Amino acid sequence: ILKMAALGIIRGVGGNRFNPNGVLTKEQALILILRSMGLGELAESKAEELAAATGQKPENATGFTIRGYIETAVEEEILSEGEAAVLLANRTKPAERQEVAYWTSKALGLSPVYGTAQKLIHGFNDAGRFDARYLAAIEALLQEKIMSGTSHTTFSPQGNMKRGEMAALLERIYPRLAERQKLVIDTGIVTGEGSQQVGAYRQKLLEIRTDDLQVFNLVTGASPAGQRDVIVYKNGSLGNSSLLKVGDRITFTFNSAQEVEFIEAVPAA
C-alpha cells in the first residue's frame, strides 16, 4: 500500500488512512487501474474540459472526475460505450472482483483465451457465477498468475473488491505497465557514499552499481533548481535517500528524464 501511495497511484480516505479492509466502489477501482497505466493526468484534464464545457471553472471539476476517467477508459478500449454507460449509472456501487479482473486484463492488453483453452476459470466451483462476457479476459489474467481466487476452489466473481486486495494487484501489474509510462525498472546495490560541493551547494552522493555492472551516482540535496531527493521504501516505511546504506539491495525506477524517482530497498544481510 505504501509503495503504491508513494507512486501516486492510491490515496487515503481521510486522516492519512487507506483502510485496506474497506470495499472499493466501481469508480474507485477504475480510477486506480487508469492511474497505474499513467493515465491519471490525461483523465483529470478531460474532467476539466468537461467541466469547462458546462461553464464550471477547472478547480470545480471534481464532479466530472469519473467522467474524465470513463472517457479515457473508452479511448483505451478498457470499456465499451455500453459498459461505460452502465458503470456511470452504478459508479458508487461496490466493485465486483470479476469487474476488476476484466478491466485489469484489458489494461494489460492480454489476449483473451477462448474455448477449450479456458482451463483455470472453469476449475472454480463458482465458475457459473461469472458474467460470460468476462470469461476470456479473466482466463488470460489467471494464466498469467496476476490474480487468483479467494481460495483454491472459489473465485467469488461477484464478491466485493477490497482496497488492500486492490493495492496488492496494482503492485503486481506495476512492472508490466512501467513501459507505457516510459519508466525503466532496474536493480542493483548501493556500493558507496560521499559528497560534493557545487558552488554554494553541498550535495550527497550515493554510488549505485546495477546488476549489469553499470555505475552511477544518485545525487541529492540542495541545487540551483531547489532541494532534490527521492522517495525510498525500506523496512515497511517510506522516507528519502537518508534511509539508504551501503550494501542495500535496491530496485529503482527511472523516469523519462533519466531521473530516479522511486527506490525500494532491502537492507544488507
Side-chain angles (χ1 to χ4, degrees), residues 96-103 105 118-143 147-159:
E96 295 181 357
R97 284 172 49 80
Q98 63 177 346
E99 291 175 319
V100 173
Y102 175 68
W103 298 336
S105 184
Q118 290 182 359
K119 301 182 184 300
L120 298 179
I121 201 164
H122 292 293
F124 291 114
N125 293 339
D126 53 4
R129 298 183 64 82
F130 281 94
D131 186 319
R133 297 170 300 169
Y134 300 159
L135 290 175
I138 295 177
E139 175 69 27
L141 200 70
L142 293 171
Q143 290 189 10
M147 195 168 173
S148 59
T150 52
S151 74
H152 292 302
T153 57
T154 59
F155 187 87
S156 302
Q158 297 175 16

Side-chain angles (χ1 to χ4, degrees), residues 101-192:
Y102 175 68
W103 298 336
T104 301
S105 184
K106 301 278 277 187
L108 292 170
L110 300 181
S111 298
V113 179
Y114 296 100
T116 57
Q118 290 182 359
K119 301 182 184 300
L120 298 179
I121 201 164
H122 292 293
F124 291 114
N125 293 339
D126 53 4
R129 298 183 64 82
F130 281 94
D131 186 319
R133 297 170 300 169
Y134 300 159
L135 290 175
I138 295 177
E139 175 69 27
L141 200 70
L142 293 171
Q143 290 189 10
E144 292 289 327
K145 299 181 179 179
I146 295 169
M147 195 168 173
S148 59
T150 52
S151 74
H152 292 302
T153 57
T154 59
F155 187 87
S156 302
Q158 297 175 16
N160 297 335
M161 190 73 179
K162 294 184 178 180
R163 296 169 69 89
E165 292 175 324
M166 190 70 189
L169 175 62
L170 293 173
E171 184 164 3
R172 284 194 293 274
I173 66 174
Y174 176 72
R176 293 173 178 252
L177 294 173
E179 186 175 352
R180 168 187 282 275
Q181 302 172 61
K182 297 182 179 179
L183 301 175
V184 176
I185 300 175
D186 207 345
T187 55
I189 190 169
V190 180
T191 53

Side-chain angles (χ1 to χ4, degrees), residues 18-251:
F18 181 69
N19 186 19
N21 292 318
V23 173
L24 278 176
T25 64
K26 297 179 192 296
E27 66 178 353
Q28 289 171 338
L30 182 70
I31 286 171
L32 289 173
I33 290 171
L34 288 177
R35 281 188 195 148
S36 72
M37 297 172 71
L39 296 173
E41 185 175 341
L42 173 63
E44 289 167 22
S45 69
K46 287 182 180 296
E48 290 187 359
E49 292 172 4
L50 291 167
T54 63
Q56 297 286 329
K57 294 181 179 180
E59 58 266 29
N60 296 328
T62 304
F64 293 85
T65 298
I66 187 55
R67 294 178 184 271
Y69 275 93
I70 288 176
E71 186 174 307
T72 302
V74 171
E75 290 179 357
E76 295 293 318
E77 300 183 347
I78 296 171
L79 296 175
S80 67
E81 292 284 358
E83 290 167 341
V86 172
L87 191 153
L88 185 60
N90 297 279
R91 62 192 183 92
T92 59
K93 292 182 179 179
E96 295 181 357
R97 284 172 49 80
Q98 63 177 346
E99 291 175 319
V100 173
Y102 175 68
W103 298 336
T104 301
S105 184
K106 301 278 277 187
L108 292 170
L110 300 181
S111 298
V113 179
Y114 296 100
T116 57
Q118 290 182 359
K119 301 182 184 300
L120 298 179
I121 201 164
H122 292 293
F124 291 114
N125 293 339
D126 53 4
R129 298 183 64 82
F130 281 94
D131 186 319
R133 297 170 300 169
Y134 300 159
L135 290 175
I138 295 177
E139 175 69 27
L141 200 70
L142 293 171
Q143 290 189 10
E144 292 289 327
K145 299 181 179 179
I146 295 169
M147 195 168 173
S148 59
T150 52
S151 74
H152 292 302
T153 57
T154 59
F155 187 87
S156 302
Q158 297 175 16
N160 297 335
M161 190 73 179
K162 294 184 178 180
R163 296 169 69 89
E165 292 175 324
M166 190 70 189
L169 175 62
L170 293 173
E171 184 164 3
R172 284 194 293 274
I173 66 174
Y174 176 72
R176 293 173 178 252
L177 294 173
E179 186 175 352
R180 168 187 282 275
Q181 302 172 61
K182 297 182 179 179
L183 301 175
V184 176
I185 300 175
D186 207 345
T187 55
I189 190 169
V190 180
T191 53
E193 58 183 340
S195 61
Q196 66 180 15
Q197 190 75 30
V198 178
Y201 304 102
R202 191 70 175 172
Q203 298 175 336
K204 180 180 178 181
L205 303 177
L206 286 170
E207 182 185 79
I208 295 173
R209 185 186 70 226
T210 67
D211 288 342
D212 60 0
L213 304 182
Q214 301 295 311
V215 178
F216 69 93
N217 283 323
L218 176 67
V219 181
T220 61
S223 72
Q227 194 76 16
R228 60 182 179 184
D229 214 319
V230 61
I231 299 172
V232 176
Y233 177 70
K234 181 179 178 182
N235 293 332
S237 299
L238 287 177
N240 57 24
S241 61
S242 64
L243 294 178
L244 297 173
K245 306 298 179 186
V246 173
D248 285 353
R249 286 284 310 168
I250 61 173
T251 299

